[in-house]
Amino acid sequence: MKEYTLSDGTAVIIKSYEEWLWDRIHMTENTFREKLDERKKPLFEDRYWPTDNVIGLYHDKYRQYVDRIHLDHMSLTFPEYFEAYEGHTFDTFHEMCAATGLSRADETAWYESIRKAWEEHENNIIPF
C-alpha cells in the first residue's frame, strides 16, 4: 500500500495492483495467468476470452479503482458521475438496459438509485 496525497491535500492509501488483485481473486497475476492458460477452449470461440484479454480487463478495473479514489474527493455533475462510476452516458445506459430486456420501470428505478448515489457522493464531499 502506498500513501498518496490528492490535489486537495487529502492523504489516501492506494493499494498496489498486486494487493488489489489479491483482495479480489486471492491470486497473484502470475498464478491467475497460469490458471487461465490451463483452460480448455470452448466449442464456440466467441465466448472465449484469451488470457491477455482477461488480464487486461483486470488492469482496466484496477485503473478504475485508482480513478475512483481521486473522484471520491471531487465534486461532479450528475453526467460526469454517471460516466465515471457507471461507465455510461444516458444513451448507452438506455441501450444497455434495452439490450438486456430490462423493463422501463426497472430501468427508471436503477437510474434513480444511481442518482441517489450521486447525491450521497456530493453530500459527502467536505470543502476546504
Side-chain angles (χ1 to χ4, degrees):
M1 288 193 210
K2 178 181 174 188
E3 186 172 305
Y4 181 80
T5 304
L6 299 174
S7 60
D8 67 0
T10 305
V12 295
I13 302 295
I14 299 178
K15 294 177 185 176
S16 70
Y17 171 73
E18 286 294 336
E19 291 167 324
W20 174 86
L21 189 64
W22 182 266
D23 286 348
R24 225 170 144 107
I25 63 172
H26 303 290
M27 285 186 250
T28 64
E29 182 176 307
N30 288 338
T31 304
F32 187 41
R33 183 177 290 279
E34 289 169 6
K35 292 224 181 263
L36 290 170
D37 286 341
E38 292 171 359
R39 295 175 297 167
K40 290 183 179 179
K41 285 189 178 183
L43 294 175
F44 302 102
E45 289 293 319
D46 62 328
R47 294 189 181 153
Y48 179 80
W49 277 36
T51 297
D52 287 339
N53 291 23
V54 175
I55 296 295
L57 176 69
Y58 277 87
H59 280 278
D60 289 345
K61 294 285 184 194
Y62 175 73
R63 278 189 289 279
Q64 289 174 352
Y65 155 76
V66 173
D67 288 347
R68 286 182 178 164
I69 289 172
H70 292 271
L71 290 172
D72 280 345
H73 301 279
M74 297 172 70
S75 181
L76 301 169
T77 65
F78 182 64
E80 290 169 336
Y81 178 91
F82 199 59
E83 191 164 349
Y85 283 85
E86 299 298 323
H88 285 288
T89 63
F90 300 120
D91 291 338
T92 63
F93 179 75
H94 175 68
E95 289 170 11
M96 179 210 42
C97 291
T100 58
L102 206 61
S103 72
R104 192 69 166 159
D106 287 340
E107 177 182 342
T108 301
W110 188 6
Y111 177 84
E112 287 306 317
S113 72
I114 296 168
R115 180 174 282 288
K116 186 178 271 185
W118 168 70
E119 289 171 357
E120 290 174 14
H121 171 270
E122 289 301 300
N123 290 337
N124 289 323
I125 294 176
I126 303 168
F128 289 100

